[in-house]
Amino acid sequence: MNSGLGASVPSAVAVGLVVLATVLIGAYGQRLSRTTGDFLVASRMVGPTWNAAAISGEYLSAASFLGVAALIVQFGADALWYPIGFTAGYLALLLFVAAPLRRSGAYTVPDFAQIRWGSLRLRRLATVVVLVIVWLYLVPQLHGAGLLLQYLVGVPRWVGVVGVALVVTASVVAGGMRSITFVQAFQYWLKLSAVAVPVVVMIALLRGDAFSALDTPWAAPGLGFGGGAALPEVYSVVIATFLGTMGLPHVLVRFYTNSGGGAARRTTVQVITLLVVFYFCTVLLGLISRSAGADPAGGDLVILGVPARALDGSAATAGTVLAAMIAAGAVAAFLSASSGLLVAAAGVISTDVLPGRVRDFRVAAVLGVLVPVAVALGAGGTDIVRVVGMAFGLAASTFCPLLVLGIWWRGVTVAGAAAGMLCGGGLALGAVTAGIVLGDRAGRWSWLLEQPAVISVPVAFAVMIGVSLATRRTVRPEVDAVLARLHLPGTLHHR
């Protein structure tokens, strides 16, 4: 990492304006936040249009903004599976989870587990899984923010980690979900502008040279991600991203803010549209970057240097301005994703560990950020999108089977739900841990340790079904009433 390599006054000003806008919009939302419901689920008063922009804003993390384009630069057509999986996951969410989950009346995933199964132990297990996923997702956001600010303005990496953590924590503590909704909706449109405008301008100035990489072997599919098992690794990435989306706590918690099941469905459809537009621009940015000669091994921040590389001479000023826009979008990505993750962590800590009052939510937000900050400060260099992929894999191996089977099959028992989550989550975390410990010694199996979803997800479903069948006598008599509440529009329930 070249400290300060990309430093420029426009980039520094752009980053400062994004932080200032985040603080001001968060302060505006604070005026409307009074009750526990405001802090947890914005009192379930968020309309589909606002909610879709907010969900897209928090979902499009740095892994999407910088990481997807960087992976396309490195791996070409095979990396397209990442944005396809990220977007298609909302189709599964729309078909199987969104409306029933909203009708459950839950505030959090552990809340849903208790409503569906009436088990305090299962609720506590779900709480632990939520925190592990959130922290696994939050660490690369903070780590990446430190690297970005080091790259842009030359400050030590820890300054970026701590600075972003302070801004995000202050926003969450001040106004909770209601405040963060405004911030994230604004940041989606900012991020879309920050990637779309540079793409349009560079295509207009470079003309045919912007797509010259399409004529190289890089554009041919089937080479995988460099792990030595191209097709199986691609399958594992698709499973993790497609099924993991419906299990991400910070995504699910936003659906609790809708007014009802129908609004949750309309929100999901709009989210898919917004993501398609964004990822289309991101893919083009990766293509232009490769055509401009970006270093395939340059990591996630390689995109920041593309405008200056592609536009020189009389267009150098335009390149500087476009670089500043991309930098602003990257900072917005770190802030919005981190905000949503911290709200999700604070929600489960305040309701499952603390009494659940407004004050407890604020205390929980502070507690929730300490662990990922400590880990991020000690983290080394890594690709953001691949670390985030671990969180997707864990979510796909735990909450995906819990929600799909829990909503659509009355036969899931407490023992089956717990066993499925423990086996799926244990395999996912165990594989990642083994990969870190073994490093290059994993040899040809390194791809499986890095992307274990192709094994851990089917095992989670199979164990959940098998143990439930073996303990079928423990199915609660109330389960039919609970499922009717989830599936019948006439039983819309507001808490």
Side-chain angles (χ1 to χ4, degrees), residues 409 411-417 462-475:
W409 182 35
V412 183
T413 64
V414 173
V463 170
M464 197 171 289
I465 293 172
V467 175
S468 294
L469 290 175
T471 58
R472 67 184 70 182
R473 292 184 178 180
T474 63
V475 172

Side-chain angles (χ1 to χ4, degrees), residues 41-48 50-51 177 181 254 257-259 263 267:
V41 290
S43 295
R44 304 193 192 280
M45 297 294 290
V46 182
W50 272 98
N51 214 11
M177 180 63 85
T181 296
R254 289 228 55 98
T257 66
N258 281 121
S259 58
T267 297

Side-chain angles (χ1 to χ4, degrees), residues 248-259:
L248 291 176
H250 67 300
V251 170
L252 294 174
V253 74
R254 289 228 55 98
F255 283 92
Y256 307 137
T257 66
N258 281 121
S259 58

Side-chain angles (χ1 to χ4, degrees), residues 7-297:
S8 70
V9 173
S11 294
V13 171
V15 170
L17 289 175
V18 171
V19 174
L20 178 62
T22 299
V23 172
L24 292 178
I25 295 173
Y28 172 76
Q30 178 189 1
R31 299 167 54 200
L32 306 175
S33 301
R34 295 289 183 271
T35 67
T36 302
D38 288 335
F39 277 78
L40 289 177
V41 290
S43 295
R44 304 193 192 280
M45 297 294 290
V46 182
T49 301
W50 272 98
N51 214 11
I55 290 172
S56 302
E58 76 171 1
Y59 187 63
L60 297 173
S61 65
S64 292
F65 192 88
L66 296 174
V68 167
L71 283 180
I72 289 175
V73 170
Q74 186 172 4
F75 298 114
D78 286 318
L80 291 175
W81 285 112
Y82 275 101
I84 290 173
F86 289 151
T87 306
Y90 278 90
L91 183 59
L93 193 64
L94 170 67
L95 294 174
F96 303 118
V97 174
L101 184 65
R102 171 59 190 90
R103 290 175 188 139
S104 72
Y107 284 115
T108 62
V109 179
D111 213 11
F112 169 80
Q114 186 163 21
I115 290 171
R116 170 62 177 83
W117 287 278
S119 169
L120 186 58
R121 290 184 177 179
L122 188 62
R123 180 189 182 108
R124 288 172 176 165
L125 175 60
T127 298
V128 172
V129 175
V130 166
L131 290 177
V132 172
I133 293 174
V134 166
W135 286 340
L136 198 57
Y137 208 133
L138 193 49
V139 167
Q141 305 305 317
L142 298 176
H143 174 67
L147 291 177
L148 177 66
L149 294 182
Q150 184 183 51
Y151 178 89
L152 290 175
V153 295
V155 298
R157 187 176 63 85
W158 70 267
V159 173
V161 173
V162 175
V164 168
L166 287 175
V167 171
V168 168
T169 305
S171 299
V172 173
V173 166
M177 180 63 85
R178 186 177 287 276
S179 179
I180 293 303
T181 296
F182 296 127
V183 172
Q184 291 175 332
F186 159 75
Q187 287 174 337
Y188 167 77
W189 293 108
L190 173 63
K191 282 182 280 189
L192 179 61
S193 302
V195 69
V197 172
V199 164
V200 171
V201 172
M202 283 193 283
I203 289 176
L205 295 179
L206 297 174
R207 300 177 184 271
D209 292 339
F211 307 109
S212 60
L214 290 175
D215 298 325
T216 66
W218 162 87
L223 302 178
F225 305 107
L231 196 56
E233 186 175 12
V234 168
Y235 284 150
S236 202
V237 168
V238 171
I239 291 173
T241 53
F242 181 69
L243 298 180
T245 300
M246 74 170 70
L248 291 176
H250 67 300
V251 170
L252 294 174
V253 74
R254 289 228 55 98
F255 283 92
Y256 307 137
T257 66
N258 281 121
S259 58
R265 282 201 177 99
R266 291 193 294 276
T267 297
T268 312
V269 172
Q270 293 187 37
V271 168
I272 293 173
T273 303
L274 295 178
L275 294 184
V276 167
V277 174
F278 178 84
Y279 281 124
F280 177 71
C281 295
T282 305
V283 170
L284 286 179
L285 183 59
L287 170 60
I288 296 171
S289 301
R290 180 75 183 198
S291 300
D295 181 8

